[in-house]
Amino acid sequence: MVEKEEVGTISEEEAAQYDRQIRLWGLEAQKRLRASRVLLVGMKGLGAEVAKNLILAGVKGLTMMDHQQVSPEDTSAQFLIPTTGSSGRNRAEASLERAQNLNPMVDVKVDTENIENKPETFFTQFDAVCLTCCSRDVLVKIDQICYKNSIKFFTGDVFGYHGYMFANLGEHEFVEEKTKVPKVSPSVEDGPDTKKAKLDATETMMVKKKVIFCPFKEALEVDWSSDKAKAALRRTTCDYFLLQVLLKFRTDKGRDPQSDTYGEDSELLLQIRNDLLESLGVNPDLLPDDFVSYCFSEMAPVCAVVGGVLGQEVVKALSQRDPPHNNFFFFDGIKGNGIVECLGPK
């Protein structure tokens, strides 16, 4: 793992391959990235986007895990799976060839087992774990394992026009580039020193910072009964509650809402919304009834946006460069906007 190993050098070939990003975030950040191994679970549309971004960024190794077979729906958003001859194959195995071709310098592996069957020791070989397509119970369990073992934890999903990502980096240290503030004597505010200071305003310095994240379980179990929480509720995106409804549906049914059972699934989603939001002490009307019309299947453009943000956050965490999103990112494809929310115990 990056924090447990000395970050080595990179070869001339790697320096040429990653020249653009080394210029962007620096050689030390790229070295940390090249020493990192990532586990990515769930190779649907969002998983494909995240895999592409991490492989192109130049992590040391990426393990793509999925125990499910390719379905007809996968071809609409999953560009790593060939459109012909893939039906019935394992999703991760079907994605391997195109994924590896993106960057031969990255060690891309496949695991076809169910993540629920993996022991805790399995996860300790990775520096970051990113889960998609998992139930709430699995997300909470793996997040706890990652926190215990100082592994960066990420999760995300796309439901129709909506998508999200969550990060728990524990106690995370990073560096941020800041512009130096020139010091000018008050007595020479209009003199040549002031003009020189203005010319040098582009000079920067690296500042070390630290941020603390909360567990996924706590982020989902906010107590909305206090006056402070009620005030925050007015500023909280309804996508936060939509996520909880969809995770509850997935946990109960073992699948996501499907278009071929739209009527049945829509009724269940509305019932889950009513029960869940009432249990949280929140008015169900906060999530309007029409949400059921926009949360079926995976939309490729939404996968691209959420996958871009999720991949970016994994890269930032592993390279320890730039402030991370703490802790949720929500994307609404209908409105075309994204928002970062910090939710959890205060």
Side-chain angles (χ1 to χ4, degrees), residues 5-16:
E5 294 180 359
E6 183 179 349
V7 179
T9 59
I10 63 174
S11 66
E12 290 185 11
E13 186 181 7
E14 289 171 328

Side-chain angles (χ1 to χ4, degrees), residues 222-238 240-241 282 286 339 341-344 346:
V222 176
D223 180 5
W224 298 102
S225 62
S226 69
D227 291 338
K228 187 176 181 181
K230 288 177 181 177
L233 181 61
R234 292 192 291 269
R235 303 188 300 271
T236 302
T237 175
C238 63
Y240 169 74
F241 300 101
V282 177
L286 189 66
I339 183 171
E341 293 267 20
C342 185
L343 296 165
K346 302 297 182 182

Side-chain angles (χ1 to χ4, degrees), residues 19 26 45 68 111 176-177 180 192 207 248 253 278:
D19 176 71
Q68 300 281 5
D111 192 319
E176 183 178 11
E177 190 172 13
K180 283 187 177 180
V207 180
K248 174 67 173 171
K253 300 287 287 185
E278 285 177 1

Side-chain angles (χ1 to χ4, degrees), residues 30-79:
Q30 189 65 38
K31 285 179 181 179
R32 293 190 185 96
L33 206 56
R34 284 295 296 142
S36 301
R37 294 189 179 275
V38 181
L39 172 65
L40 173 61
V41 179
M43 289 306 298
K44 295 183 70 176
L46 178 59
E49 290 284 354
V50 175
K52 174 201 69 177
N53 294 330
L54 295 180
I55 292 170
L56 291 177
V59 295
K60 182 179 183 64
L62 177 70
T63 298
M64 303 184 300
M65 173 183 284
D66 200 315
H67 66 286
Q68 300 281 5
Q69 293 181 332
V70 176
S71 69
E73 181 184 319
D74 291 331
T75 56
S76 64
Q78 221 286 27
F79 53 83

Side-chain angles (χ1 to χ4, degrees), residues 4 28 30 41 74 86 121 125 141 154 194 199 222-223 233 244 266 281 301 307 315 339:
K4 297 177 182 177
E28 290 305 312
Q30 189 65 38
V41 179
D74 291 331
S86 298
T121 53
Q125 64 184 295
K141 174 187 174 183
F154 299 87
T194 303
L199 291 174
V222 176
D223 180 5
L233 181 61
Q244 303 222 38
S266 296
V315 168
I339 183 171

Side-chain angles (χ1 to χ4, degrees), residues 16-223:
Q17 172 82 5
Y18 305 123
D19 176 71
R20 182 180 177 185
Q21 51 217 57
I22 289 173
R23 293 172 186 271
L24 178 64
W25 54 57
L27 181 59
E28 290 305 312
Q30 189 65 38
K31 285 179 181 179
R32 293 190 185 96
L33 206 56
R34 284 295 296 142
S36 301
R37 294 189 179 275
V38 181
L39 172 65
L40 173 61
V41 179
M43 289 306 298
K44 295 183 70 176
L46 178 59
E49 290 284 354
V50 175
K52 174 201 69 177
N53 294 330
L54 295 180
I55 292 170
L56 291 177
V59 295
K60 182 179 183 64
L62 177 70
T63 298
M64 303 184 300
M65 173 183 284
D66 200 315
H67 66 286
Q68 300 281 5
Q69 293 181 332
V70 176
S71 69
E73 181 184 319
D74 291 331
T75 56
S76 64
Q78 221 286 27
F79 53 83
L80 293 178
I81 297 177
T83 54
T84 58
S86 298
S87 180
R89 293 185 65 193
N90 174 273
R91 275 200 296 240
E93 289 181 335
S95 306
L96 179 60
E97 183 177 358
R98 288 184 175 180
Q100 185 65 81
N101 288 341
L102 290 170
N103 188 350
M105 294 185 186
V106 176
D107 181 19
V108 183
K109 297 179 180 178
V110 163
D111 192 319
T112 60
E113 287 189 37
N114 189 331
I115 189 174
E116 297 184 38
N117 300 328
K118 293 293 188 180
E120 180 175 333
T121 53
F122 169 77
F123 299 95
T124 59
Q125 64 184 295
F126 301 104
D127 301 285
V129 171
C130 180
L131 305 186
T132 70
C133 310
C134 293
S135 69
R136 184 185 188 278
D137 294 341
V138 170
L139 295 175
V140 169
K141 174 187 174 183
I142 305 304
D143 176 45
Q144 291 172 342
I145 290 174
C146 289
Y147 180 78
K148 177 183 175 182
N149 293 279
S150 300
I151 302 166
K152 308 301 183 186
F153 174 84
F154 299 87
T155 183
D157 268 302
V158 168
F159 304 95
Y161 287 86
H162 299 271
Y164 89 99
M165 66 140 286
F166 169 86
N168 178 10
L169 309 183
E171 191 172 294
H172 179 64
E173 296 182 348
F174 63 95
V175 295
E176 183 178 11
E177 190 172 13
K178 292 283 190 179
T179 301
K180 283 187 177 180
V181 179
K183 293 182 179 180
V184 181
S185 173
S187 62
V188 291
E189 287 185 355
D190 296 322
D193 288 344
T194 303
K195 295 179 181 179
K196 183 176 185 298
K198 289 180 180 178
L199 291 174
D200 294 341
T202 56
E203 189 176 355
T204 61
M205 60 186 292
M206 303 307 293
V207 180
K208 290 186 178 181
K209 294 186 176 182
K210 181 169 69 175
V211 63
I212 299 175
F213 288 71
C214 79
F216 187 60
K217 186 175 187 291
E218 293 183 11
L220 295 179
E221 296 178 351
V222 176
D223 180 5

